[in-house]
């Protein structure tokens, strides 16, 4: 006598797929092993309804079943499907994928998100590294070799953690979910269900019977690697570059993590960077400030000639357009180089020089008048 899948789910032979799904959901909640720990009858019932649902929810399998009866699925010779192939946790998941309504509350985050399912694909970890460069490397961009220590996929087992030729099996205790539910009864008889990491598979959902000897079952091996990284033009001190997919190896087919490299730009002896602009203090001699001159400034892009007008004051600023740092987002935008002229005041002055300077200031009525008027004006600001 074959199994009656319709009867197992308590639906009519002409039931719609929605009716089948809702019937299964109701029964699966009732008989799920996590709600009935240790109850063999419930477990058998759960498997029965799950198998029925797996067949009846698939239009092709349902048609085969309608035509041939359950012998098509019982594993006997000539059967179309092998009943042992049913993965009950997968069937259950497919019926409850997405929202679970009240069931979700009962099981907390068990089915709430992919992150709690440890046997699903796990993204590799992000790896952090640092590199130090100088200002010119930051301005023009550069390639750097960095040493990182990261989890690489084990080439012996190809990341499965199992001895080559063997494969990890689904954990029987948790059905591959990595989590189990523990029922606790309080003094007053109320029962609470708590979640816990499966103690058999340690939350991985998989059990490795024979471990890969190279990685001892981890699937990854920590390795020191030299990686060449491209540092973009215009990078600023303390900025972090994210290099996708160059971090730790993913597990269960998950993607690799990212490599995050924080760049430290060594301060330059003369140039100071603010945003995309560079600042440079240029010392000039007293005589150059008074008489004017032409000087050559070494910018990061090469020499530039600057005309100093006669009578240039200390602190005078020159802006050389587009001689600063390229913007890291858009290299076509280049900051400016801002030059500040500082007049050097001589400190060791000979007697002859002192005499000449005194003569110079005696002649220079302009500077005397200006000084006087400045002090007068300053005094004026305190008068009512
Ligand atoms: Zn291995
Ligand atoms: Zn387990």
């Amino acid at each position: 006598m074959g199994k009656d899948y319709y009867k197992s789910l308590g639906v009519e032979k002409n039931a719609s797929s929605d009716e089948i799904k809702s019937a299964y959901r109701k029964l699966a909640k009732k008989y799920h092993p996590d709600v009935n720990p240790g109850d063999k009858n419930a477990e058998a019932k759960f498997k029965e309804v799950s198998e029925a649902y797996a067949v009846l929810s698939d239009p092709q399998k349902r048609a085969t079943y309608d035509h041939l009866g359950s012998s098509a699925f019982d594993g006997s010779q000539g059967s179309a499907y092998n009943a042992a192939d049913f993965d009950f946790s997968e069937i259950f998941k497919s019926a409850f994928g997405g929202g679970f309504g009240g069931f979700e509350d009962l099981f907390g985050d068990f089915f709430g998100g992919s992150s709690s399912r440890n046997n699903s694909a796990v993204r590799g970890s992000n790896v952090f590294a640092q590199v130090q460069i100088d200002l010119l490397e930051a301005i023009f961009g550069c390639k750097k070799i960095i040493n990182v220590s990261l989890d690489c996929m084990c080439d012996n087992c190809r990341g499965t953690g199992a001895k080559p030729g063997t494969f990890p099996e689904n954990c029987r205790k948790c059905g591959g979910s990595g989590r189990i539910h523990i029922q606790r009864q309080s003094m007053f008889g109320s029962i609470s269900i708590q979640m816990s990491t499966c103690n058999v598979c340690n939350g991985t959902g998989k059990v490795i019977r024979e471990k890969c000897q190279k990685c001892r079952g981890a699937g990854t091996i920590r390795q020191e690697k030299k990686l060449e990284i491209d540092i973009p033009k215009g990078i600023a001190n303390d900025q972090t570059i994210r290099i996708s997919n160059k971090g730790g190896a993913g597990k269960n087919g998950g993607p690799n993590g990212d490599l995050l490299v924080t760049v430290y730009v060594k301060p330059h002896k003369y140039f100071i960077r603010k945003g995309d602009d560079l600042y440079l203090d240029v010392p000039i001699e007293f005589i150059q400030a008074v008489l004017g001159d032409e000087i050559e400034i070494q910018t990061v892009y090469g020499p530039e000639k600057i005309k100093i007008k006669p009578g240039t004051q200390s602190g005078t600023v020159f802006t050389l357009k587009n001689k600063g740092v390229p913007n890291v987002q858009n290299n076509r935008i280049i900051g400016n180089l801002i030059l500040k002229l500082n007049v050097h005041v001589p400190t060791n002055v000979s007697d002859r020089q002192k005499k000449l300077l005194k003569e110079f200031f005696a002649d220079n009525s302009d500077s005397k008048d200006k000084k006087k008027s400045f002090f007068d004006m300053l005094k004026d600001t305190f008068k009512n």
Side-chain angles (χ1 to χ4, degrees), residues 154-162 212-221:
C154 172
D155 54 2
N156 192 42
C157 61
R158 294 193 176 174
T160 66
C212 165
Q213 286 183 320
K214 194 169 175 186
C215 64
R216 296 199 187 108
T220 54
I221 294 176

Coordinates of all heavy atoms in Angstrom, one line a residue, residues 154-162 212-221, ligand 1:
C154 N 42.0 26.6 1.8 CA 42.9 25.4 1.8 C 42.9 24.7 0.5 O 41.8 24.3 0.0 CB 42.5 24.5 2.9 SG 43.5 22.9 2.9
D155 N 44.1 24.6 -0.2 CA 44.1 24.0 -1.5 C 44.0 22.5 -1.4 O 43.7 21.9 -2.4 CB 45.3 24.5 -2.3 CG 46.6 24.2 -1.5 OD1 46.5 23.6 -0.4 OD2 47.7 24.5 -2.0
N156 N 44.2 21.9 -0.3 CA 44.2 20.5 -0.1 C 42.7 20.0 -0.2 O 42.4 19.0 -0.9 CB 44.9 20.1 1.2 CG 45.1 18.6 1.2 OD1 45.5 18.0 0.2 ND2 44.8 18.0 2.4
C157 N 41.8 20.7 0.5 CA 40.4 20.2 0.6 C 39.5 21.2 -0.2 O 38.3 21.0 -0.2 CB 40.0 20.2 2.0 SG 40.0 21.7 2.9
R158 N 40.1 22.2 -0.8 CA 39.3 23.2 -1.5 C 38.3 23.9 -0.7 O 37.2 24.2 -1.1 CB 38.6 22.6 -2.8 CG 39.6 22.1 -3.8 CD 39.0 21.8 -5.1 NE 40.0 21.5 -6.1 CZ 39.7 21.1 -7.3 NH1 38.5 21.0 -7.7 NH2 40.7 20.8 -8.1
G159 N 38.7 24.0 0.6 CA 37.9 24.8 1.5 C 36.8 24.0 2.2 O 36.1 24.6 3.0
T160 N 36.6 22.8 1.9 CA 35.5 22.0 2.6 C 35.9 21.6 4.0 O 35.1 21.4 4.9 CB 35.2 20.7 1.9 OG1 36.3 19.8 1.9 CG2 34.8 21.0 0.4
G161 N 37.2 21.5 4.3 CA 37.7 21.1 5.6 C 37.7 19.6 5.7 O 38.2 19.0 6.7
A162 N 37.1 18.9 4.7 CA 37.1 17.4 4.8 C 38.3 16.8 4.0 O 38.8 17.4 3.1 CB 35.8 16.9 4.2
C212 N 40.5 17.3 6.9 CA 41.6 17.6 6.0 C 42.8 17.8 6.9 O 42.7 18.5 7.9 CB 41.4 18.8 5.2 SG 42.8 19.5 4.4
Q213 N 43.9 17.1 6.6 CA 45.1 17.2 7.5 C 45.8 18.5 7.5 O 46.4 19.0 8.4 CB 46.0 16.0 7.2 CG 45.5 14.7 7.7 CD 46.4 13.6 7.5 OE1 47.1 13.5 6.5 NE2 46.5 12.7 8.5
K214 N 45.7 19.1 6.3 CA 46.4 20.4 6.1 C 45.8 21.5 6.9 O 46.5 22.3 7.6 CB 46.5 20.7 4.6 CG 47.5 21.8 4.3 CD 47.7 21.9 2.8 CE 48.6 23.1 2.5 NZ 48.8 23.3 1.1
C215 N 44.5 21.7 6.9 CA 43.9 22.8 7.6 C 43.2 22.4 8.8 O 42.5 23.2 9.5 CB 42.9 23.5 6.6 SG 41.5 22.5 6.1
R216 N 43.2 21.1 9.2 CA 42.6 20.5 10.4 C 41.1 20.8 10.4 O 40.5 21.0 11.4 CB 43.3 21.0 11.6 CG 44.7 20.6 11.7 CD 45.2 20.8 13.2 NE 46.6 20.5 13.2 CZ 47.5 21.5 13.5 NH1 47.1 22.7 13.6 NH2 48.8 21.2 13.5
G217 N 40.5 20.8 9.2 CA 39.0 20.9 9.2 C 38.5 22.3 9.0 O 37.3 22.5 8.8
A218 N 39.4 23.3 9.1 CA 38.9 24.7 9.1 C 38.5 25.1 7.6 O 37.7 26.0 7.5 CB 40.0 25.6 9.6
G219 N 39.1 24.5 6.7 CA 38.8 24.9 5.3 C 39.7 26.1 4.8 O 39.8 26.4 3.6
T220 N 40.3 26.8 5.8 CA 41.2 27.9 5.4 C 42.5 27.7 6.2 O 42.6 27.1 7.2 CB 40.6 29.2 5.8 OG1 40.2 29.2 7.2 CG2 39.3 29.5 5.0
I221 N 43.5 28.4 5.6 CA 44.8 28.4 6.3 C 45.3 29.8 6.3 O 45.2 30.5 5.3 CB 45.8 27.5 5.4 CG1 45.4 26.0 5.5 CG2 47.2 27.7 6.0 CD1 46.3 25.2 4.6
Ligands
LIG1 ZN1 42.0 21.6 4.1

